[in-house]
Amino acid sequence: MNFYTMDYIIEHQSTDMIIRSTFIILLLAIVIITGFRFMKDRMKTRLRDISIGIAVFTFILLGIHVENYTKNHKDFSQSHVLVKFIESVATAAHVSPEEILVNSTTLKDGIIVRYNEEDYTVHLNDDNNSYTLQRTHVIDHNVYINGER
């Protein structure tokens, strides 16, 4: 069973988005540079063809990036809520937030929280403003922290 620490949840919230954005910005810079070089010497159509190909590829990647952003926006905001939830559990249990492990990167009903070597199932109310922890037992006792095996 995979469990995640609070540090892992905070660090991996936006890493993929940053990498994709950097790649798209780099491709846009290449399109601009090849466009200026083509304007300088209009007789070389090879630069124009390369520039058009890269521009089309960039717009396809940009469309995929926007689609992924809208799809992952809810999970991203849920991970912020999960960090607050972990801090709340740590305060109530009188432990450090770094000692709390959860088996999901988003806050939802039924996730498992582990601290003091005990497992608890989370039951959230309808508006996710309060929770109840119920002692539970897992079948698979092989625990992988941060999904690393």
Side-chain angles (χ1 to χ4, degrees):
M1 178 173 273
N2 293 330
F3 280 90
Y4 305 96
T5 61
M6 189 169 81
D7 292 335
Y8 178 86
I9 292 168
I10 291 170
E11 289 174 12
H12 289 84
Q13 288 176 355
S14 61
T15 305
D16 292 339
M17 296 288 276
I18 292 171
I19 291 171
R20 285 188 204 125
S21 298
T22 304
F23 187 66
I24 289 173
I25 290 171
L26 180 67
L27 285 176
L28 286 173
I30 291 172
V31 166
I32 291 170
I33 291 170
T34 54
F36 281 132
R37 294 212 43 202
F38 170 70
M39 295 303 254
K40 181 180 173 188
D41 189 8
R42 292 179 186 230
M43 296 304 286
K44 292 185 179 180
T45 58
R46 182 183 74 179
L47 288 175
R48 180 193 65 188
D49 295 341
I50 290 171
S51 160
I52 290 171
I54 292 174
V56 169
F57 183 65
T58 302
F59 287 123
I60 290 171
L61 288 178
L62 189 61
I64 292 170
H65 183 68
V66 168
E67 180 182 341
N68 285 338
Y69 175 77
T70 56
K71 186 175 94 175
N72 293 331
H73 180 70
K74 181 178 178 184
D75 290 341
F76 183 73
S77 63
Q78 281 290 323
S79 64
H80 286 292
V81 174
L82 182 61
V83 169
K84 294 291 185 191
F85 168 76
I86 291 172
E87 291 170 348
S88 173
V89 170
T91 302
H94 305 291
V95 296
S96 168
E98 287 78 25
E99 296 177 36
I100 307 275
L101 301 173
V102 292
N103 75 333
S104 176
T105 56
T106 59
L107 182 62
K108 55 189 171 191
D109 195 41
I111 66 172
I112 297 174
V113 175
R114 175 176 279 194
Y115 62 89
N116 294 335
E117 297 184 21
E118 294 181 353
D119 299 320
Y120 299 90
T121 301
V122 176
H123 299 288
L124 297 169
N125 70 346
D126 291 336
D127 60 357
N128 292 349
N129 284 332
S130 64
Y131 63 90
T132 305
L133 295 179
Q134 180 181 8
R135 182 87 160 93
T136 191
H137 302 282
V138 295
I139 295 173
D140 183 11
H141 291 283
N142 294 324
V143 173
Y144 304 107
I145 298 176
N146 297 336
E148 297 176 3
R149 298 190 187 264

